[in-house]
Amino acid sequence: MFQWLADNWWALWLTIFLVFAVVEMLTLDLFFIMLGGGALAGLLSAFAGADLWLQIVVFSVVSLLMIGFVRPVALKHLRSSPADQRSNVERLIGESALVMEPVSADGGLVKIGGDVWTARSDTGVLAAGQRVVVRAIDGATAVVDPQEPAAQQDSTAQ
């Protein structure tokens, strides 16, 4: 068995790739698929007849290059989806909300659409009844900023 493996390193590289692919399906963070790409490069170098040390170097270099250059670009594209394709809480970012209870850095309540959310504001205390804009969602808390009055919005848009 070990003699066969020593003669057929490609089988080990294929197994490593499949393991990384399964782990990637479970984690979905685009890290293990980059390592899988390195394993495929090792597989190709094994088919080309490279020594084991060179196969390991090829795996390492390709994996590091993919993690350093391909993964950030892929993550950027995944996270910058158009507004009509955003899902779940991402759709709330930029939405208008109504302050139900005063909101400060310590907390408060806002109504976004038909749902009441806990909220916080880094810009001071926001009074009940005030309109705000959702800047971010941090766990189950909406981070809000005061909404500019309509007259100010028109003058800044020009």
Side-chain angles (χ1 to χ4, degrees):
M1 167 87 178
F2 291 114
Q3 180 59 39
W4 182 86
L5 185 60
D7 295 335
N8 298 289
W9 283 109
W10 63 268
L12 181 63
W13 289 115
L14 181 61
T15 304
I16 291 170
F17 167 74
L18 293 173
V19 167
F20 284 144
V22 168
V23 172
E24 180 62 37
M25 285 188 281
L26 297 173
T27 62
L28 299 174
D29 67 353
L30 297 182
F31 180 78
F32 290 98
I33 199 66
M34 300 300 144
L35 294 175
L40 286 179
L43 173 76
L44 292 176
S45 64
F47 280 142
D51 291 333
L52 177 61
W53 68 269
L54 184 58
Q55 294 172 32
I56 294 171
V57 168
V58 168
F59 164 75
S60 301
V61 169
V62 170
S63 294
L64 288 174
L65 288 174
M66 289 185 73
I67 290 169
F69 295 106
V70 177
R71 184 174 183 262
V73 173
L75 286 175
K76 181 180 174 187
H77 284 288
L78 283 175
R79 292 185 179 143
S80 65
S81 60
D84 62 338
Q85 292 180 358
R86 292 186 297 180
S87 63
N88 300 332
V89 295
E90 292 175 346
R91 289 184 181 268
L92 300 176
I93 298 173
E95 290 293 315
S96 178
L98 177 66
V99 177
M100 304 298 288
E101 290 181 9
V103 176
S104 66
D106 296 325
L109 292 176
V110 296
K111 189 172 192 175
I112 307 170
D115 298 321
V116 177
W117 282 71
T118 57
R120 74 171 193 271
S121 173
D122 300 329
T123 59
V125 178
L126 304 172
Q130 185 176 352
R131 300 298 298 182
V132 293
V133 175
V134 179
R135 178 170 43 95
I137 300 293
D138 182 16
T141 303
V143 181
V144 296
D145 290 329
Q147 191 173 38
E148 294 182 23
Q152 262 187 324
Q153 287 178 350
D154 292 340
S155 65
T156 58
Q158 295 174 357

